[in-house]
PDB file of all heavy atoms in Angstrom:
ATOM      1  N   ARG I 959      16.345  78.264  46.903  1.00  0.00           N
ATOM      2  CA  ARG I 959      16.656  76.935  47.287  1.00  0.00           C
ATOM      3  C   ARG I 959      16.946  76.120  46.010  1.00  0.00           C
ATOM      4  O   ARG I 959      17.924  75.306  46.006  1.00  0.00           O
ATOM      5  CB  ARG I 959      15.579  76.218  48.057  1.00  0.00           C
ATOM      6  CG  ARG I 959      16.025  74.821  48.477  1.00  0.00           C
ATOM      7  CD  ARG I 959      15.056  74.099  49.348  1.00  0.00           C
ATOM      8  NE  ARG I 959      13.877  73.857  48.666  1.00  0.00           N
ATOM      9  CZ  ARG I 959      12.865  73.171  49.228  1.00  0.00           C
ATOM     10  NH1 ARG I 959      12.940  72.647  50.411  1.00  0.00           N
ATOM     11  NH2 ARG I 959      11.730  72.905  48.550  1.00  0.00           N
ATOM     12  N   ALA I 960      16.130  76.230  45.018  1.00  0.00           N
ATOM     13  CA  ALA I 960      16.344  75.498  43.719  1.00  0.00           C
ATOM     14  C   ALA I 960      17.698  75.910  43.115  1.00  0.00           C
ATOM     15  O   ALA I 960      18.275  75.117  42.384  1.00  0.00           O
ATOM     16  CB  ALA I 960      15.192  75.826  42.700  1.00  0.00           C
ATOM     17  N   SER I 961      18.190  77.113  43.355  1.00  0.00           N
ATOM     18  CA  SER I 961      19.409  77.552  42.730  1.00  0.00           C
ATOM     19  C   SER I 961      20.697  77.103  43.503  1.00  0.00           C
ATOM     20  O   SER I 961      21.825  77.370  43.005  1.00  0.00           O
ATOM     21  CB  SER I 961      19.471  79.056  42.626  1.00  0.00           C
ATOM     22  OG  SER I 961      19.703  79.665  43.889  1.00  0.00           O
ATOM     23  N   LEU I 962      20.522  76.536  44.701  1.00  0.00           N
ATOM     24  CA  LEU I 962      21.696  76.210  45.531  1.00  0.00           C
ATOM     25  C   LEU I 962      22.433  75.079  44.964  1.00  0.00           C
ATOM     26  O   LEU I 962      21.917  74.132  44.356  1.00  0.00           O
ATOM     27  CB  LEU I 962      21.215  75.828  46.972  1.00  0.00           C
ATOM     28  CG  LEU I 962      20.611  76.934  47.765  1.00  0.00           C
ATOM     29  CD1 LEU I 962      20.058  76.420  49.046  1.00  0.00           C
ATOM     30  CD2 LEU I 962      21.586  78.085  48.079  1.00  0.00           C
ATOM     31  N   PRO I 963      23.790  75.116  45.131  1.00  0.00           N
ATOM     32  CA  PRO I 963      24.621  73.958  44.566  1.00  0.00           C
ATOM     33  C   PRO I 963      24.416  72.723  45.386  1.00  0.00           C
ATOM     34  O   PRO I 963      23.978  72.797  46.527  1.00  0.00           O
ATOM     35  CB  PRO I 963      26.034  74.496  44.758  1.00  0.00           C
ATOM     36  CG  PRO I 963      25.977  75.587  45.768  1.00  0.00           C
ATOM     37  CD  PRO I 963      24.592  76.137  45.688  1.00  0.00           C
ATOM     38  N   THR I 964      24.764  71.635  44.840  1.00  0.00           N
ATOM     39  CA  THR I 964      24.713  70.318  45.474  1.00  0.00           C
ATOM     40  C   THR I 964      25.490  70.404  46.796  1.00  0.00           C
ATOM     41  O   THR I 964      26.603  70.897  46.772  1.00  0.00           O
ATOM     42  CB  THR I 964      25.281  69.191  44.539  1.00  0.00           C
ATOM     43  OG1 THR I 964      24.545  69.220  43.356  1.00  0.00           O
ATOM     44  CG2 THR I 964      25.184  67.826  45.278  1.00  0.00           C
ATOM     45  N   GLY I 965      24.930  69.934  47.869  1.00  0.00           N
ATOM     46  CA  GLY I 965      25.612  69.860  49.160  1.00  0.00           C
ATOM     47  C   GLY I 965      25.243  71.065  50.081  1.00  0.00           C
ATOM     48  O   GLY I 965      25.638  71.072  51.187  1.00  0.00           O
ATOM     49  N   VAL I 966      24.530  72.055  49.503  1.00  0.00           N
ATOM     50  CA  VAL I 966      24.141  73.228  50.307  1.00  0.00           C
ATOM     51  C   VAL I 966      22.607  73.148  50.449  1.00  0.00           C
ATOM     52  O   VAL I 966      21.893  73.053  49.493  1.00  0.00           O
ATOM     53  CB  VAL I 966      24.558  74.526  49.601  1.00  0.00           C
ATOM     54  CG1 VAL I 966      23.995  75.826  50.417  1.00  0.00           C
ATOM     55  CG2 VAL I 966      26.075  74.640  49.508  1.00  0.00           C
ATOM     56  N   HIS I 967      22.189  73.153  51.717  1.00  0.00           N
ATOM     57  CA  HIS I 967      20.732  73.046  52.016  1.00  0.00           C
ATOM     58  C   HIS I 967      20.258  74.220  52.852  1.00  0.00           C
ATOM     59  O   HIS I 967      21.011  74.693  53.787  1.00  0.00           O
ATOM     60  CB  HIS I 967      20.448  71.707  52.729  1.00  0.00           C
ATOM     61  CG  HIS I 967      20.785  70.559  51.893  1.00  0.00           C
ATOM     62  ND1 HIS I 967      19.937  70.013  50.898  1.00  0.00           N
ATOM     63  CD2 HIS I 967      21.841  69.785  51.729  1.00  0.00           C
ATOM     64  CE1 HIS I 967      20.520  69.022  50.331  1.00  0.00           C
ATOM     65  NE2 HIS I 967      21.693  68.888  50.782  1.00  0.00           N
ATOM     66  N   LEU I 968      19.076  74.629  52.643  1.00  0.00           N
ATOM     67  CA  LEU I 968      18.425  75.743  53.460  1.00  0.00           C
ATOM     68  C   LEU I 968      17.664  75.084  54.593  1.00  0.00           C
ATOM     69  O   LEU I 968      16.738  74.218  54.338  1.00  0.00           O
ATOM     70  CB  LEU I 968      17.503  76.433  52.455  1.00  0.00           C
ATOM     71  CG  LEU I 968      16.929  77.748  52.913  1.00  0.00           C
ATOM     72  CD1 LEU I 968      17.992  78.789  53.161  1.00  0.00           C
ATOM     73  CD2 LEU I 968      16.009  78.286  51.842  1.00  0.00           C
ATOM     74  N   ILE I 969      17.988  75.481  55.852  1.00  0.00           N
ATOM     75  CA  ILE I 969      17.356  74.834  57.001  1.00  0.00           C
ATOM     76  C   ILE I 969      17.059  75.850  58.037  1.00  0.00           C
ATOM     77  O   ILE I 969      17.482  77.056  57.942  1.00  0.00           O
ATOM     78  CB  ILE I 969      18.164  73.644  57.628  1.00  0.00           C
ATOM     79  CG1 ILE I 969      19.493  74.249  58.203  1.00  0.00           C
ATOM     80  CG2 ILE I 969      18.438  72.562  56.611  1.00  0.00           C
ATOM     81  CD1 ILE I 969      20.239  73.349  59.128  1.00  0.00           C
ATOM     82  N   SER I 970      16.289  75.493  59.031  1.00  0.00           N
ATOM     83  CA  SER I 970      16.089  76.276  60.237  1.00  0.00           C
ATOM     84  C   SER I 970      16.911  75.647  61.318  1.00  0.00           C
ATOM     85  O   SER I 970      16.923  74.420  61.475  1.00  0.00           O
ATOM     86  CB  SER I 970      14.592  76.207  60.583  1.00  0.00           C
ATOM     87  OG  SER I 970      14.367  76.786  61.892  1.00  0.00           O
ATOM     88  N   LEU I 971      17.698  76.426  62.056  1.00  0.00           N
ATOM     89  CA  LEU I 971      18.532  75.979  63.120  1.00  0.00           C
ATOM     90  C   LEU I 971      18.490  76.804  64.336  1.00  0.00           C
ATOM     91  O   LEU I 971      18.665  77.999  64.233  1.00  0.00           O
ATOM     92  CB  LEU I 971      19.983  75.933  62.558  1.00  0.00           C
ATOM     93  CG  LEU I 971      21.031  75.298  63.446  1.00  0.00           C
ATOM     94  CD1 LEU I 971      20.904  73.789  63.521  1.00  0.00           C
ATOM     95  CD2 LEU I 971      22.459  75.641  62.873  1.00  0.00           C
ATOM     96  N   PRO I 972      18.204  76.220  65.543  1.00  0.00           N
ATOM     97  CA  PRO I 972      18.233  76.989  66.735  1.00  0.00           C
ATOM     98  C   PRO I 972      19.662  77.576  67.004  1.00  0.00           C
ATOM     99  O   PRO I 972      20.603  76.862  66.737  1.00  0.00           O
ATOM    100  CB  PRO I 972      17.864  75.973  67.835  1.00  0.00           C
ATOM    101  CG  PRO I 972      17.140  74.932  67.130  1.00  0.00           C
ATOM    102  CD  PRO I 972      17.802  74.828  65.810  1.00  0.00           C
ATOM    103  N   ALA I 973      19.707  78.741  67.525  1.00  0.00           N
ATOM    104  CA  ALA I 973      20.975  79.447  67.821  1.00  0.00           C
ATOM    105  C   ALA I 973      21.859  78.593  68.816  1.00  0.00           C
ATOM    106  O   ALA I 973      23.092  78.620  68.640  1.00  0.00           O
ATOM    107  CB  ALA I 973      20.775  80.790  68.421  1.00  0.00           C
ATOM    108  N   SER I 974      21.203  77.803  69.590  1.00  0.00           N
ATOM    109  CA  SER I 974      22.040  76.943  70.539  1.00  0.00           C
ATOM    110  C   SER I 974      22.863  75.916  69.898  1.00  0.00           C
ATOM    111  O   SER I 974      23.775  75.345  70.508  1.00  0.00           O
ATOM    112  CB  SER I 974      21.079  76.348  71.547  1.00  0.00           C
ATOM    113  OG  SER I 974      20.127  75.515  70.896  1.00  0.00           O
ATOM    114  N   HIS I 975      22.631  75.633  68.582  1.00  0.00           N
ATOM    115  CA  HIS I 975      23.408  74.699  67.917  1.00  0.00           C
ATOM    116  C   HIS I 975      24.574  75.213  67.220  1.00  0.00           C
ATOM    117  O   HIS I 975      25.483  74.534  66.710  1.00  0.00           O
ATOM    118  CB  HIS I 975      22.611  73.945  66.830  1.00  0.00           C
ATOM    119  CG  HIS I 975      21.466  73.057  67.409  1.00  0.00           C
ATOM    120  ND1 HIS I 975      21.695  72.059  68.365  1.00  0.00           N
ATOM    121  CD2 HIS I 975      20.166  73.035  67.203  1.00  0.00           C
ATOM    122  CE1 HIS I 975      20.633  71.484  68.675  1.00  0.00           C
ATOM    123  NE2 HIS I 975      19.595  72.077  68.031  1.00  0.00           N
ATOM    124  N   VAL I 976      24.735  76.585  67.237  1.00  0.00           N
ATOM    125  CA  VAL I 976      25.868  77.252  66.639  1.00  0.00           C
ATOM    126  C   VAL I 976      26.962  77.353  67.693  1.00  0.00           C
ATOM    127  O   VAL I 976      26.683  77.851  68.772  1.00  0.00           O
ATOM    128  CB  VAL I 976      25.520  78.595  66.038  1.00  0.00           C
ATOM    129  CG1 VAL I 976      26.761  79.293  65.497  1.00  0.00           C
ATOM    130  CG2 VAL I 976      24.470  78.533  64.970  1.00  0.00           C
ATOM    131  N   ILE I 977      28.153  76.885  67.436  1.00  0.00           N
ATOM    132  CA  ILE I 977      29.169  76.795  68.442  1.00  0.00           C
ATOM    133  C   ILE I 977      30.369  77.692  68.232  1.00  0.00           C
ATOM    134  O   ILE I 977      31.244  77.785  69.085  1.00  0.00           O
ATOM    135  CB  ILE I 977      29.674  75.339  68.661  1.00  0.00           C
ATOM    136  CG1 ILE I 977      30.180  74.751  67.383  1.00  0.00           C
ATOM    137  CG2 ILE I 977      28.520  74.447  69.219  1.00  0.00           C
ATOM    138  CD1 ILE I 977      30.770  73.362  67.435  1.00  0.00           C
ATOM    139  N   GLY I 978      30.398  78.507  67.170  1.00  0.00           N
ATOM    140  CA  GLY I 978      31.438  79.451  66.958  1.00  0.00           C
ATOM    141  C   GLY I 978      31.945  79.494  65.531  1.00  0.00           C
ATOM    142  O   GLY I 978      31.266  78.811  64.624  1.00  0.00           O
ATOM    143  N   PRO I 979      33.042  80.239  65.247  1.00  0.00           N
ATOM    144  CA  PRO I 979      33.504  80.365  63.887  1.00  0.00           C
ATOM    145  C   PRO I 979      33.990  79.007  63.402  1.00  0.00           C
ATOM    146  O   PRO I 979      34.587  78.191  64.181  1.00  0.00           O
ATOM    147  CB  PRO I 979      34.717  81.363  64.036  1.00  0.00           C
ATOM    148  CG  PRO I 979      34.445  82.008  65.341  1.00  0.00           C
ATOM    149  CD  PRO I 979      33.689  81.061  66.187  1.00  0.00           C
ATOM    150  N   TRP I 980      33.787  78.768  62.170  1.00  0.00           N
ATOM    151  CA  TRP I 980      34.236  77.500  61.473  1.00  0.00           C
ATOM    152  C   TRP I 980      35.711  77.293  61.674  1.00  0.00           C
ATOM    153  O   TRP I 980      36.225  76.177  61.909  1.00  0.00           O
ATOM    154  CB  TRP I 980      33.795  77.471  60.056  1.00  0.00           C
ATOM    155  CG  TRP I 980      34.184  76.155  59.338  1.00  0.00           C
ATOM    156  CD1 TRP I 980      35.088  76.089  58.311  1.00  0.00           C
ATOM    157  CD2 TRP I 980      33.664  74.857  59.536  1.00  0.00           C
ATOM    158  NE1 TRP I 980      35.224  74.784  57.922  1.00  0.00           N
ATOM    159  CE2 TRP I 980      34.362  73.994  58.684  1.00  0.00           C
ATOM    160  CE3 TRP I 980      32.768  74.298  60.434  1.00  0.00           C
ATOM    161  CZ2 TRP I 980      34.113  72.619  58.636  1.00  0.00           C
ATOM    162  CZ3 TRP I 980      32.523  72.963  60.413  1.00  0.00           C
ATOM    163  CH2 TRP I 980      33.216  72.148  59.511  1.00  0.00           C
ATOM    164  N   ALA I 981      36.545  78.345  61.404  1.00  0.00           N
ATOM    165  CA  ALA I 981      37.953  78.280  61.502  1.00  0.00           C
ATOM    166  C   ALA I 981      38.411  77.871  62.977  1.00  0.00           C
ATOM    167  O   ALA I 981      39.599  77.449  63.086  1.00  0.00           O
ATOM    168  CB  ALA I 981      38.605  79.574  61.072  1.00  0.00           C
ATOM    169  N   GLN I 982      37.587  78.132  63.936  1.00  0.00           N
ATOM    170  CA  GLN I 982      38.041  77.795  65.308  1.00  0.00           C
ATOM    171  C   GLN I 982      37.177  76.719  65.909  1.00  0.00           C
ATOM    172  O   GLN I 982      37.052  76.624  67.146  1.00  0.00           O
ATOM    173  CB  GLN I 982      37.892  79.148  66.158  1.00  0.00           C
ATOM    174  CG  GLN I 982      38.728  80.182  65.712  1.00  0.00           C
ATOM    175  CD  GLN I 982      38.468  81.498  66.430  1.00  0.00           C
ATOM    176  OE1 GLN I 982      37.681  81.603  67.356  1.00  0.00           O
ATOM    177  NE2 GLN I 982      39.125  82.649  65.977  1.00  0.00           N
ATOM    178  N   ARG I 983      36.597  75.854  65.138  1.00  0.00           N
ATOM    179  CA  ARG I 983      35.771  74.771  65.593  1.00  0.00           C
ATOM    180  C   ARG I 983      36.564  73.810  66.450  1.00  0.00           C
ATOM    181  O   ARG I 983      37.749  73.721  66.314  1.00  0.00           O
ATOM    182  CB  ARG I 983      35.109  74.096  64.425  1.00  0.00           C
ATOM    183  CG  ARG I 983      36.076  73.304  63.525  1.00  0.00           C
ATOM    184  CD  ARG I 983      35.443  72.901  62.227  1.00  0.00           C
ATOM    185  NE  ARG I 983      36.309  72.259  61.293  1.00  0.00           N
ATOM    186  CZ  ARG I 983      37.140  72.880  60.485  1.00  0.00           C
ATOM    187  NH1 ARG I 983      37.113  74.185  60.443  1.00  0.00           N
ATOM    188  NH2 ARG I 983      37.923  72.251  59.567  1.00  0.00           N
ATOM    189  N   PRO I 984      35.901  73.123  67.394  1.00  0.00           N
ATOM    190  CA  PRO I 984      36.582  72.130  68.223  1.00  0.00           C
ATOM    191  C   PRO I 984      37.303  71.141  67.330  1.00  0.00           C
ATOM    192  O   PRO I 984      36.860  70.703  66.366  1.00  0.00           O
ATOM    193  CB  PRO I 984      35.393  71.434  68.989  1.00  0.00           C
ATOM    194  CG  PRO I 984      34.357  72.535  69.030  1.00  0.00           C
ATOM    195  CD  PRO I 984      34.422  73.265  67.644  1.00  0.00           C
ATOM    196  N   GLY I 985      38.453  70.799  67.757  1.00  0.00           N
ATOM    197  CA  GLY I 985      39.308  69.806  67.060  1.00  0.00           C
ATOM    198  C   GLY I 985      40.303  70.444  66.139  1.00  0.00           C
ATOM    199  O   GLY I 985      41.193  69.757  65.566  1.00  0.00           O
ATOM    200  N   MET I 986      40.192  71.751  65.885  1.00  0.00           N
ATOM    201  CA  MET I 986      41.159  72.461  64.894  1.00  0.00           C
ATOM    202  C   MET I 986      42.274  72.912  65.786  1.00  0.00           C
ATOM    203  O   MET I 986      42.129  73.501  66.909  1.00  0.00           O
ATOM    204  CB  MET I 986      40.472  73.565  64.252  1.00  0.00           C
ATOM    205  CG  MET I 986      39.417  73.185  63.260  1.00  0.00           C
ATOM    206  SD  MET I 986      40.086  72.060  61.945  1.00  0.00           S
ATOM    207  CE  MET I 986      41.249  73.124  61.158  1.00  0.00           C
ATOM    208  N   SER I 987      43.444  72.847  65.283  1.00  0.00           N
ATOM    209  CA  SER I 987      44.684  73.301  65.928  1.00  0.00           C
ATOM    210  C   SER I 987      44.699  74.827  65.829  1.00  0.00           C
ATOM    211  O   SER I 987      44.378  75.365  64.816  1.00  0.00           O
ATOM    212  CB  SER I 987      45.887  72.701  65.265  1.00  0.00           C
ATOM    213  OG  SER I 987      47.083  73.226  65.850  1.00  0.00           O
ATOM    214  N   THR I 988      45.170  75.493  66.870  1.00  0.00           N
ATOM    215  CA  THR I 988      45.291  76.942  66.840  1.00  0.00           C
ATOM    216  C   THR I 988      46.661  77.319  66.303  1.00  0.00           C
ATOM    217  O   THR I 988      46.960  78.520  66.178  1.00  0.00           O
ATOM    218  CB  THR I 988      45.067  77.596  68.240  1.00  0.00           C
ATOM    219  OG1 THR I 988      45.904  76.994  69.143  1.00  0.00           O
ATOM    220  CG2 THR I 988      43.650  77.389  68.635  1.00  0.00           C
ATOM    221  N   ARG I 989      47.507  76.265  66.111  1.00  0.00           N
ATOM    222  CA  ARG I 989      48.843  76.597  65.586  1.00  0.00           C
ATOM    223  C   ARG I 989      48.839  76.788  64.041  1.00  0.00           C
ATOM    224  O   ARG I 989      48.058  76.069  63.366  1.00  0.00           O
ATOM    225  CB  ARG I 989      49.829  75.467  65.939  1.00  0.00           C
ATOM    226  CG  ARG I 989      50.141  75.417  67.421  1.00  0.00           C
ATOM    227  CD  ARG I 989      51.040  74.248  67.664  1.00  0.00           C
ATOM    228  NE  ARG I 989      50.159  73.096  67.909  1.00  0.00           N
ATOM    229  CZ  ARG I 989      50.576  71.879  67.714  1.00  0.00           C
ATOM    230  NH1 ARG I 989      51.682  71.560  67.233  1.00  0.00           N
ATOM    231  NH2 ARG I 989      49.690  70.844  67.928  1.00  0.00           N
ATOM    232  N   THR I 990      49.687  77.648  63.546  1.00  0.00           N
ATOM    233  CA  THR I 990      49.734  77.837  62.103  1.00  0.00           C
ATOM    234  C   THR I 990      50.996  77.407  61.545  1.00  0.00           C
ATOM    235  O   THR I 990      51.928  77.061  62.179  1.00  0.00           O
ATOM    236  CB  THR I 990      49.523  79.340  61.758  1.00  0.00           C
ATOM    237  OG1 THR I 990      50.541  80.122  62.333  1.00  0.00           O
ATOM    238  CG2 THR I 990      48.143  79.721  62.073  1.00  0.00           C
TER     239      THR I 990
END
């Protein structure tokens, strides 16, 4: 944790809060 760059944090997160791949997150266009 001490070696992590600024803006990156080590946390515990329930699986129910993960909603999918970052590239396909809600609000992102599927068009390229």
Side-chain angles (χ1 to χ4, degrees):
R959 180 176 68 174
S961 75
L962 294 173
T964 302
V966 176
H967 296 277
L968 193 59
I969 65 167
S970 170
L971 184 73
S974 59
H975 293 307
V976 178
I977 56 178
W980 180 248
Q982 298 172 7
R983 64 193 177 277
M986 291 302 297
S987 173
T988 56
R989 292 179 271 153
T990 56

